[in-house]
Amino acid sequence: MGGESTGDVPDTGRRRRPPPPLRLASVESKRELSHALIEVVLAGAGLVGFDRPEPGASLRMVLPRSGAGSPLELPTWRGNEYLFDDGERPAVRTLTPLDVDPAEGRLTVWLVRGHDGTLARWASDVTSGEEVAISGPGSGYRVDHGTQHLVVLGDLAAAAAVHDVIERAPAGCEVRTLVECSAANAPDTMRHRDDVEWLDPRDGAPPGSALVDRVRTLLASVDGHGPARPDAITTRWWAAGEAASIQRLRTLFAESGVPRHHTHVRGYWRQGRPQPGDRRRP
């Protein structure tokens, strides 16, 4: 495993806040949650003290430079992004930490077989004992005190965060969940929940189309708990997924009169945008 570089920081003209230091972890186990999702448990002394984050929080995971089975080389934070000594960008992926145990040094991540070829290959090929590095946690979402209704929206890439948010919703808060994901790809931990509605993606349509249309119907319906009314103060909306579809949801909320501070929306990926490390994709 390569050491962390202390080389010169290139002048990028801008500086972002440095992320939490990288922590070493190793793969303890993995299993398939569905045709499209793999659960990986990470453990090690480097994870001891990793803060239990808010629901739907994030971490950054650095994959081995040459894929599963290769030694882990640590990049350096260069004031704007992680880079190797030769200037190459590492494969860094943002994921949702689940089942965080800071005392034992263990956490779980869900990995999608899909649009991200580098991550999918690593998840398929990795074996127990192989190393990764993680940084985090990033901020998450805590439901406002007194919220009576929470509507959770997402796609397959956001499945882990959706799971985390609904599992940790406060007692007494009614949760309604809509996920654009085929039943075959739904994780086994969520597949049979009565409060989750699975929406099949539409062939040939942009990602998130089925979700956006279902939310439009929900906002206009009598049984939608009235969140479209500007005076509705007991409903909150959490949404994550493909960036363009999330922007369409933002617009829909605004047009429907949902107060902006009642929504928490995040783009998790963008269709057609390559990820760092994907240049080796055949």
Side-chain angles (χ1 to χ4, degrees):
M1 181 185 69
E4 186 166 353
S5 168
T6 58
D8 294 336
V9 176
D11 185 5
T12 62
R14 57 193 287 259
R15 292 292 183 269
R16 296 163 59 190
R17 178 186 299 176
L22 290 173
R23 298 168 176 258
L24 293 180
S26 60
V27 174
E28 182 177 85
S29 64
K30 73 173 184 178
R31 72 181 182 99
E32 292 194 1
L33 296 176
S34 72
H35 296 298
L37 282 174
I38 297 176
E39 177 185 87
V40 174
V41 178
L42 301 175
L47 296 183
V48 172
F50 186 91
D51 291 336
R52 179 171 170 78
E54 295 176 326
S58 64
L59 60 77
R60 292 174 176 175
M61 185 167 75
V62 180
L63 301 177
R65 192 171 189 176
S66 299
S70 63
L72 178 66
E73 179 181 348
L74 294 181
T76 302
W77 182 257
R78 300 297 183 90
N80 188 43
E81 62 180 337
Y82 283 112
L83 293 173
F84 290 121
D85 290 349
D86 59 8
E88 183 179 346
R89 297 176 68 194
V92 179
R93 299 297 183 261
T94 302
L95 304 167
T96 299
L98 302 175
D99 301 325
V100 176
D101 188 335
E104 293 294 326
R106 182 177 290 106
L107 61 82
T108 298
V109 291
W110 291 1
L111 311 177
V112 181
R113 288 184 177 130
H115 55 271
D116 189 337
T118 295
L119 185 62
R121 284 193 296 271
W122 181 84
S124 296
D125 297 342
V126 72
T127 58
S128 296
E130 296 191 35
E131 281 191 314
V132 295
I134 68 168
S135 172
S139 61
Y141 172 70
R142 193 166 297 280
V143 181
D144 292 340
H145 179 71
T147 296
Q148 296 179 12
H149 306 290
L150 174 65
V151 183
V152 179
L153 312 169
D155 59 12
L156 181 62
V162 168
H163 171 78
D164 201 30
V165 170
I166 63 179
E167 282 289 315
R168 298 168 63 186
C173 178
E174 180 184 348
V175 180
R176 184 167 190 171
T177 305
L178 309 175
V179 183
E180 183 169 300
C181 172
S182 67
N185 290 336
D188 57 11
T189 53
M190 298 172 61
R191 187 174 295 128
H192 303 297
R193 289 185 63 120
D194 293 335
D195 57 354
V196 179
E197 180 180 347
W198 302 101
L199 307 172
D200 284 332
R202 296 174 180 168
D203 291 339
S209 295
L211 181 63
V212 172
D213 287 349
R214 183 69 182 90
V215 172
R216 181 179 292 107
T217 300
L218 179 63
L219 284 166
S221 69
V222 175
D223 65 346
H225 305 307
R229 298 194 304 269
D231 61 343
I233 61 173
T234 62
T235 299
R236 298 295 184 269
W237 299 77
W238 183 98
E242 196 279 327
S245 68
I246 291 300
Q247 184 57 49
R248 292 164 66 194
L249 285 176
R250 285 194 180 99
T251 300
L252 182 57
F253 289 147
E255 293 173 347
S256 301
V258 177
R260 186 168 182 176
H261 63 280
H262 288 187
T263 66
H264 181 93
V265 293
R266 294 289 184 271
Y268 275 15
W269 62 285
R270 187 179 298 277
Q271 186 181 38
R273 174 178 289 182
Q275 295 283 329
D278 277 357
R279 67 197 175 284
R280 291 183 293 272
R281 179 181 297 167

